[in-house]
Amino acid sequence: MYRVEDKFICGERELFYLQSKLECVLHTDHNQESPYGYTITSIYFDDYEDRHLVDTVNGNQIREKYRIRIYNGSYDVIKLEVKYKRDNRILKKSRRISREQMVKLLQGQSIDDGVPSFDNTITLFNIAIKKRKLIPVIIVEYDRKAFVFDAGNVRITLDRNLRFSQRIDLFMQGADFPRTCVQKPDSVLEVKYDEFLPGFIAGVLESGNMRRESYSKYRICRQEAMECQ
């Protein structure tokens, strides 16, 4: 099922103000062990034509992204994800994989997917690796504070401190890797929901200092990485 995803650019002062309001009316994500949120590290893949980057830069209405994601620098939970986007609606297919499987994918190898299916995230990755030579191209990292509301399956995230690295080799080894902080804007508020956004939440989010905008962390980090070369 495709969900609505709206993104708003805002400064740190505005983000802090919204966070204080959201903390009064919503619960934090149950996976959030720290009151300060958690860190997301994603390794994005693209093909030899950089099709996913080109689609994002051109603002194509239909596009997709392939990534591997870990949390708080730990390899205990590794998620393989394919994200589809149509206008401002998204569909994400996700599956947990082992560290050994992750390393194989980062090396450009396909992995065993049991029963192949187009609903199987591993199958989708294997096809893209074999047919389009999908490879890892960049590490994208940021800090997230997440809030949820069951009615409408609402999820609001506040993302800060966007940074990137091209040292995928160090990531595979489990070693620390250098990070480069992006230029502003590096803070974004994302609002995701199924069919409706409750009115009281919309009221909390009203602010004259936020602007709705297409914001791709992948695009921003890829472009800045190219400028550094």
Side-chain angles (χ1 to χ4, degrees), residues 12 14-17 19 36 141-145 158-163 186-188 217:
E12 179 56 32
E14 182 69 18
L15 209 63
F16 180 80
Y17 173 64
Q19 179 174 318
Y36 301 103
E141 190 172 82
Y142 52 93
D143 304 317
R144 167 167 284 181
K145 182 78 174 179
L158 292 76
D159 298 337
R160 300 175 167 93
N161 308 320
L162 181 60
R163 51 211 185 258
D186 67 346
S187 300
V188 60
K217 299 181 183 74

Side-chain angles (χ1 to χ4, degrees), residues 148-200:
V148 296
F149 186 69
D150 290 339
N153 192 19
V154 178
R155 181 175 175 83
I156 299 174
T157 57
L158 292 76
D159 298 337
R160 300 175 167 93
N161 308 320
L162 181 60
R163 51 211 185 258
F164 66 88
S165 178
Q166 295 179 287
R167 294 302 306 271
I168 296 169
D169 56 324
L170 294 177
F171 179 89
M172 281 193 290
Q173 298 167 19
D176 193 26
F177 51 88
R179 295 151 172 91
T180 301
C181 295
V182 306
Q183 300 176 14
K184 302 293 183 180
D186 67 346
S187 300
V188 60
L189 181 142
E190 298 184 4
V191 183
K192 305 180 183 74
Y193 54 94
D194 288 347
E195 298 297 335
F196 69 94
L197 183 67
F200 81 95

Side-chain angles (χ1 to χ4, degrees), residues 64-207:
E64 60 191 28
K65 288 188 175 75
Y66 292 73
R67 66 192 181 203
I68 289 174
R69 175 167 285 185
I70 66 170
Y71 303 88
N72 292 324
S74 171
Y75 296 94
D76 291 341
V77 176
I78 305 173
K79 290 186 178 179
L80 189 67
E81 298 182 343
V82 181
K83 182 178 179 180
Y84 300 95
K85 187 175 180 68
R86 293 180 180 175
D87 297 320
N88 71 326
R89 290 186 172 266
I90 60 167
L91 172 66
K92 185 168 68 175
K93 297 181 182 293
S94 179
R95 178 166 174 174
R96 285 185 63 168
I97 59 173
S98 68
R99 186 166 178 176
E100 292 74 19
Q101 289 175 310
M102 178 194 74
V103 170
K104 283 187 175 181
L105 291 170
L106 292 176
Q107 292 174 338
Q109 304 176 41
S110 58
I111 59 176
D112 181 39
D113 59 357
V115 180
S117 164
F118 286 112
D119 285 328
N120 186 335
T121 310
I122 293 179
T123 301
L124 297 172
F125 254 83
N126 285 343
I127 291 173
I129 287 173
K130 293 177 181 178
K131 301 296 184 180
R132 295 171 36 219
K133 308 303 180 186
L134 201 72
I135 58 171
V137 291
I138 198 165
I139 302 170
V140 174
E141 190 172 82
Y142 52 93
D143 304 317
R144 167 167 284 181
K145 182 78 174 179
F147 298 90
V148 296
F149 186 69
D150 290 339
N153 192 19
V154 178
R155 181 175 175 83
I156 299 174
T157 57
L158 292 76
D159 298 337
R160 300 175 167 93
N161 308 320
L162 181 60
R163 51 211 185 258
F164 66 88
S165 178
Q166 295 179 287
R167 294 302 306 271
I168 296 169
D169 56 324
L170 294 177
F171 179 89
M172 281 193 290
Q173 298 167 19
D176 193 26
F177 51 88
R179 295 151 172 91
T180 301
C181 295
V182 306
Q183 300 176 14
K184 302 293 183 180
D186 67 346
S187 300
V188 60
L189 181 142
E190 298 184 4
V191 183
K192 305 180 183 74
Y193 54 94
D194 288 347
E195 298 297 335
F196 69 94
L197 183 67
F200 81 95
I201 297 180
V204 169
L205 296 176
E206 285 183 357
S207 170

